[in-house]
Amino acid sequence: MQLCIGNTQLKQSQFEGDDSLKAIALSTLTFLYYQGLGVKENKDLAVKNWNEAVKRETLKLQGI
């Protein structure tokens, strides 16, 4: 499962803490896309990314 904003895909983390930084950055970008602040509004992409983030965290909590 990969999250993306536009054409940018998040790559596998190389350093400890990368996952939380990427999660914060993705959440911020997703909010901007949803609201259309500084970027063209794209609510479909924002909701897709939020849903993928929830799935990813759910799998992580289940140890999968």
Side-chain angles (χ1 to χ4, degrees):
M1 197 177 327
Q2 281 202 342
L3 300 177
C4 62
I5 294 288
N7 294 327
T8 304
Q9 294 185 348
L10 297 180
K11 296 180 181 178
Q12 188 173 6
S13 295
Q14 296 178 354
F15 304 101
E16 187 175 328
D18 277 359
D19 288 336
S20 61
L21 289 174
K22 286 181 182 178
I24 292 167
L26 181 62
S27 178
T28 302
L29 286 170
T30 298
F31 175 79
L32 295 174
Y33 271 94
Y34 189 85
Q35 297 294 326
L37 301 171
V39 294
K40 185 176 178 185
E41 184 180 288
N42 190 337
K43 290 186 179 188
D44 292 333
L45 176 63
V47 171
K48 176 185 170 217
N49 282 337
W50 278 324
N51 285 333
E52 289 296 324
V54 169
K55 287 179 193 175
R56 177 181 278 188
E57 189 59 30
T58 300
L59 292 175
K60 190 176 180 182
L61 290 173
Q62 293 175 353
I64 298 174

